[in-house]
Amino acid sequence: MSVASRAPAYIRSIQPYQPGKPISELAREMGLPEADIVKLASNENPLGMGAKARAAAEAAIREAFRYPDGGAFALKAALARKFGVDAAQLVIGNGSNDVLEIAAQTFLAPGTSAVFSQYSFAVYPLATNARGARCIQVPAQAYGHDLDAMAAAIAPDTRIVFIANPNNPTGTFVGGAALEAFLAKVPEDVLVVLDEAYTEFLEPEQRYDSLAWLARFPNLLVSRTLCKAYGLAGLRVGYAIAHPDVADLMNRVRQPFNVSAVALAAAEAALGDDDFVARTADINRRGKQQLTDAFASLGLEWIPSAGNFVTVRVGDAAAVNLALLRQGVIVRPIAGYGMPEWLRVSIGLPEENARFITALRNALG
Ligand SMILES: *Cc1c(COP(=O)(O)O)cnc(C)c1O
């Protein structure tokens, strides 16, 4: 008997997460200079990191020989001020991925289940399987969440429902009224993890106030990140806002120093940089138009996206992806999500989008 064979069956059957290919790796593989490679694969901020966040990170690195503030006092105070919540409602994560994992670790165990949609974020089955809990995957409706079917799928052993809004990898969006009606249907002992990783990219008419629902729905957890619109993907910071009892349990389960001192400092500064987030949303809006105009002229089908990426149907996506890689363009194939004809393209700077469009035109011959 090997050690590996003794790991629980639910661990051995986990399908690994497939990240976007790093620029350095493609450069090595194709013998291309890194500067010539365009990466539109991981929904990162094309503007980079905001100047305020960078300055705070640079200052914090000098003190990085010390352990971070495990209680994240300053960042929690900034979040509490910005969103009008209590610090006791907050859990800070090493990226919002960590928040999702901590929620799963806190509420899931063998003999329980989690509900999520087909074509939703790959971390939901990962986090569920890693606790030996059962996945209840609900068929999507037009590549998005079918909230009625999800409510109906909740079983007596269900402890968490995961909802990404906007959804990744499809970019679909459900409106506030539908979400609120869904929350009213969910049993009060089932945690609803509302994953708002892309909420800063919503158009004004799409916005809804999920934090206002927390008072009425103590089983709601809103998860957000500073990795996407705030430009801190490599530093890893996200947060949950929930009922204090839920946050308290999650804070007991998380690692005592789960977020680095540099990330905490950068996050606090980034939160105060509304101008950077506004510029990010603006360039995203224009880039989305640039991409979808190109898809229309190429006769390609795409899924209308509320996020900072667009998912487009290209036919043999594996072959098209390879042709793009040969031209130094990295996007994300999503066959692992059961969408083998589609590619997910992160929205970049205008010139990056143009490089992708030219490469796509070539790839499609
Ligand atoms: C990117 C993403 C996250 C997690 O991002 P972090 O970098 O860990 O903050 C969470 N949920 C969804 C739907 C995402 O697309």
Side-chain angles (χ1 to χ4, degrees):
M1 273 290 179
S2 68
V3 168
S5 70
R6 284 300 198 184
Y10 59 79
I11 298 291
R12 285 183 281 122
S13 61
I14 287 176
Q15 300 299 312
Y17 181 81
Q18 289 172 343
K21 190 188 270 288
I23 289 176
S24 55
E25 188 180 319
L26 183 65
R28 274 197 308 276
E29 282 176 11
M30 300 285 173
L32 294 168
E34 289 192 13
D36 288 356
I37 291 173
V38 169
K39 185 184 178 210
L40 300 173
S42 301
N43 303 342
E44 293 147 343
N45 193 318
L47 294 175
M49 194 186 296
K52 289 180 181 168
R54 179 193 305 266
E58 285 172 358
I61 200 125
R62 284 181 227 125
E63 294 297 315
F65 65 97
R66 296 202 188 279
Y67 280 97
D69 172 10
F73 180 85
L75 178 57
K76 282 185 182 172
L79 287 165
R81 225 177 308 120
K82 187 176 178 78
F83 296 116
V85 298
D86 201 291
Q89 293 177 266
L90 297 168
V91 183
I92 310 299
N94 187 34
S96 61
N97 196 144
D98 192 30
V99 166
L100 303 173
E101 286 285 348
I102 297 166
Q105 202 177 342
T106 305
F107 292 99
L108 299 180
T112 68
S113 65
V115 169
F116 49 84
S117 178
Q118 180 188 23
Y119 309 134
S120 70
F121 192 38
V123 165
Y124 307 153
L126 271 176
T128 302
N129 288 329
R131 270 82 217 173
R134 184 166 57 97
C135 294
I136 301 180
Q137 201 190 76
V138 178
Q141 192 175 51
Y143 298 103
H145 289 78
D146 182 343
L147 292 179
D148 288 339
M150 290 178 73
I154 293 170
D157 68 357
T158 299
R159 297 290 175 269
I160 298 184
V161 180
F162 291 104
I163 297 177
N165 198 44
N167 184 46
N168 175 18
T170 61
T172 55
F173 170 74
V174 287
L179 278 174
E180 211 175 342
F182 174 80
L183 284 166
K185 281 197 263 182
V186 174
E188 62 186 9
D189 63 345
V190 175
L191 184 73
V192 177
V193 173
L194 182 56
D195 180 350
E196 297 184 337
Y198 301 97
T199 200
E200 295 84 3
F201 296 101
L202 293 179
E203 296 298 339
E205 68 275 12
Q206 293 175 313
R207 291 187 183 277
Y208 58 94
D209 186 2
S210 53
L211 301 182
W213 301 334
L214 287 165
R216 219 168 357 123
F217 302 109
N219 59 331
L220 172 64
L221 180 152
V222 176
S223 169
R224 294 192 183 155
T225 184
L226 286 113
C227 296
K228 307 264 166 62
Y230 288 91
L232 303 184
L235 281 176
R236 319 293 305 121
V237 200
Y239 58 94
I241 309 179
H243 189 280
D245 293 350
V246 171
D248 174 44
L249 286 176
M250 289 174 63
N251 277 315
R252 293 187 224 175
V253 163
R254 70 171 173 81
Q255 290 179 34
F257 303 106
N258 61 330
V259 184
S260 79
V262 176
L264 288 172
E268 188 189 346
L271 267 189
D273 200 348
D274 291 336
D275 181 57
F276 179 74
V277 176
R279 281 193 290 132
T280 297
D282 189 54
I283 202 156
N284 189 65
R285 187 176 302 113
R286 284 183 282 134
K288 197 178 289 180
Q289 193 64 49
Q290 184 185 3
L291 289 181
T292 55
D293 284 351
F295 296 153
S297 85
L298 288 164
L300 298 175
E301 178 190 356
W302 72 91
I303 303 170
S305 171
N308 66 343
F309 54 89
V310 186
T311 296
V312 58
R313 188 174 223 152
V314 295
D316 184 350
V320 172
N321 184 51
L322 192 60
L324 291 173
L325 289 173
R326 291 209 169 100
Q327 298 173 82
V329 176
I330 312 175
V331 299
R332 185 74 73 94
I334 51 173
Y337 282 92
M339 298 177 70
E341 296 191 350
W342 299 77
L343 293 173
R344 192 195 70 189
V345 188
S346 303
I347 297 167
L349 299 172
E351 55 272 27
E352 294 174 319
N353 299 331
R355 268 283 305 276
F356 160 70
I357 291 165
T358 302
L360 180 64
R361 217 177 275 279
N362 290 338
L364 295 171

